[in-house]
Amino acid sequence: MTSARTVVSERSATQPGLPRVLALDAARGIAVLGMFAVHTGPPEQVFGSGWLSVFAGRSAALFAVLAGVSLTLMSGGRTPRTGRAGRRDLVRIAARAVLIAALGLALAQLHSGIGIMIILTYYGLYFLLALPLLRLGARALTVLAAGWAIAGPIASFLIREHLDQSTVGGHPGADMLTSWSGLGEAATMLMFTGAYPAITWMPFVLAGMALGRWGIRELRALPLLGIGALLALIGYGGSWLLQHPFGGRAHLVDLLTGLGVTDIDPAVIIDLAGLGTVGTNSWWWLTIDNAHSGTPFEIFGSVGIAFLVIGALTAVLPAARIPLYPLICAGSCALSLYIVQVVAVAVLVPLDADTPPAGAIHGPSWQLLALLVIGSLVLATLWRSMFRRGPAEWLLHRVTMAITDALVPADPR
C-alpha cells in the first residue's frame, strides 16, 4: 500500500499547482467537519457563546465558496471553455446539480433532525443558477458577487415583506424539504425563506467562481489573506459600527421588548425571524452579522473568513501536507462523508422512536461529534489510500459523464 507521504510527495513533484488544489481539499475538509460540529455538537456550544459557534454559518459559507471554485475548475479554470467543450461543461454541471438536489431531497426524508440544515438541495440550485454565468471572467464575477452581496439581502427583505410569514417568532421554512405543499412553496423556501436561501447565498458561490477565474492554481497566499482580512473587516467591523456607535442594537432591543420578547441579552441579540433570514419589521436587522442571517455584513464577513482559510492552507502547503493529509482526504470525500453523517445521525439519534434502541445517542453531544469527526478522518484516509475518489464522488462523476456523453458526445478528434 502506498504511504500518504509518498502519494502526496509524488503528486506535488509532478503537478506544480497541486499544493493549491490540496489546500482546497483541506478547506473542504474543514467545511464539512465544521458542519458536523454545527449539526451534532452540544447546542449550548454551537448556538451560545461556546467555541463551536465559530463554525455556525461560516462552515456552510466556506462550503458554498468552494462550490464556486469547483464550478470554474470544471469549466476551464482561468479561461472558460467554449464550443463543444463548453457545451459539455454546461450539461455536466446541470446533471450534477439535479442529482445533488435529488440526493438532498432523499436525505431530508430521514428522521435525522438535520432536515432543515441539509444544504445539498440548495447546492444543486446554486449550480443551476450559476450556469448562465460560467462564461463570465474574473472581473465581472467579482463585481457581480459584491453587488449581489448588497442587493440580494435588500431584495429578500422587500420580497419577504409581502410573503405570508411572521416577522418574529416563526420561520416558514421550518419544515424545509420534508413537507412539500406545492411547487410554489418549495421554490419560495429555496429562493427566499429556507435555511440557505439562494437570493442571499449566491454571493458565496460567485465569490468562489471569481477566485477560480482569477486562477486558483496560480494565486499566492499573501494577497488572498489580505483580501480575506479586508472583507472580514468590512463585514464584521461594519456591523459593529452600525450596531453599537450608531445605535442599531439598542433599536432592535427596544423593538423586541415592545413585541413582548423577554430576557434579551443586548450583547448577543438574536433575530427571531428564523434560520436563514432576518425579520422584516425593521431595516436595522440588515445590519447584524449573525450566522445564517443573510445580511450584507454576514456575507462579506463569511466570504472573508473563507478566503482567510483558503489562503492560510495555501501558505502552509506543501510544508504541512503530511499532518494535514487526513483533512485533505476528508475534503476529497466531502459528499460521501456528508451522506454518512446524515445517515449516522438518523440511526444514532432517532427522533421518532418512543424508546430509542440500545446504543442510541440522546441528542447532539460531544460524544456524537467526536465519533463522526474521528470516524470520518480515519475512513477518508483509508479510502483515499486505495481509491482516487470517494464512493459518492465516483458514482456522481460516472453518472454525470455518462449523461454528458449521451447528450453532447466528445469531439472524436
Side-chain angles (χ1 to χ4, degrees), residues 76-403:
R78 295 190 66 172
T79 305
R81 285 187 283 263
T82 58
R84 181 185 293 270
R87 292 193 297 273
R88 284 177 58 83
D89 290 338
L90 288 173
V91 172
R92 179 187 175 194
I93 292 170
R96 179 179 290 258
V98 172
L99 291 172
I100 289 176
L103 176 61
L105 289 173
L107 291 176
Q109 305 311 309
L110 299 177
H111 297 284
S112 64
I114 308 177
I116 65 171
M117 297 290 287
I118 291 176
I119 196 174
L120 294 183
T121 300
Y122 292 100
Y123 201 79
L125 177 60
Y126 304 156
F127 273 39
L128 291 175
L129 293 175
L131 288 177
L133 310 175
L134 289 178
R135 300 292 178 85
L136 296 181
R139 287 184 176 83
L141 286 168
T142 301
V143 172
L144 183 58
W148 199 323
I150 297 170
I154 295 173
S156 172
F157 185 97
L158 294 172
I159 291 169
R160 287 183 296 105
E161 274 190 316
H162 300 287
L163 296 178
D164 183 20
Q165 68 176 77
S166 170
T167 55
V168 294
H171 179 41
D175 295 325
M176 152 28 193
L177 301 181
T178 60
S179 176
W180 295 83
S181 60
L183 186 59
E185 181 182 345
T188 298
M189 287 192 292
L190 290 170
M191 285 297 301
F192 303 111
T193 62
Y196 311 95
I199 194 169
T200 53
W201 275 72
M202 277 303 292
F204 297 121
V205 179
L206 293 171
M209 291 176 67
L211 185 59
R213 287 289 183 246
W214 283 112
I216 188 64
R217 296 177 188 272
E218 296 82 19
L219 282 178
R220 296 187 178 182
L222 189 57
L224 192 53
L225 288 169
I227 294 170
L230 177 61
L231 291 173
L233 180 62
I234 292 172
Y236 300 126
S239 174
W240 183 86
L241 284 173
L242 290 171
Q243 283 284 293
H244 295 282
F246 285 88
R249 185 141 306 193
H251 180 90
L252 292 175
V253 169
D254 291 342
L255 175 65
L256 293 175
T257 302
L259 291 170
V261 181
T262 58
D263 298 325
I264 301 171
D265 182 355
V268 193
I269 191 169
I270 298 176
D271 174 30
L272 301 181
L275 184 67
T277 60
V278 292
T280 57
N281 55 351
S282 172
W283 285 94
W284 282 108
W285 285 122
L286 290 178
T287 66
I288 67 175
D289 60 2
N290 291 9
H292 291 287
S293 58
T295 69
F297 297 96
E298 191 233 346
I299 294 171
F300 275 99
S302 294
V303 170
I305 295 297
F307 281 18
L308 283 170
V309 170
I310 298 171
L313 290 169
T314 301
V316 300
L317 284 168
R321 62 187 181 271
I322 302 304
L324 288 178
Y325 187 69
L327 193 62
I328 293 168
C329 292
S332 67
C333 299
L335 179 60
S336 299
L337 295 179
Y338 193 92
I339 296 170
V340 168
Q341 173 217 194
V342 177
V343 174
V345 172
V347 173
L348 296 174
V349 192
L351 296 182
D352 57 348
D354 295 330
T355 304
I361 298 175
H362 299 279
S365 62
W366 287 114
Q367 179 188 3
L368 179 59
L369 176 58
L371 176 65
L372 287 172
V373 170
I374 296 172
S376 295
L377 291 172
V378 171
L379 285 174
T381 303
L382 292 174
W383 183 273
R384 282 302 311 277
S385 68
M386 296 178 289
F387 303 102
R388 179 184 175 189
R389 291 186 174 94
E393 287 77 7
W394 175 84
L395 182 60
L396 183 64
H397 174 74
R398 292 297 296 269
V399 173
T400 54
M401 289 307 300
I403 294 173

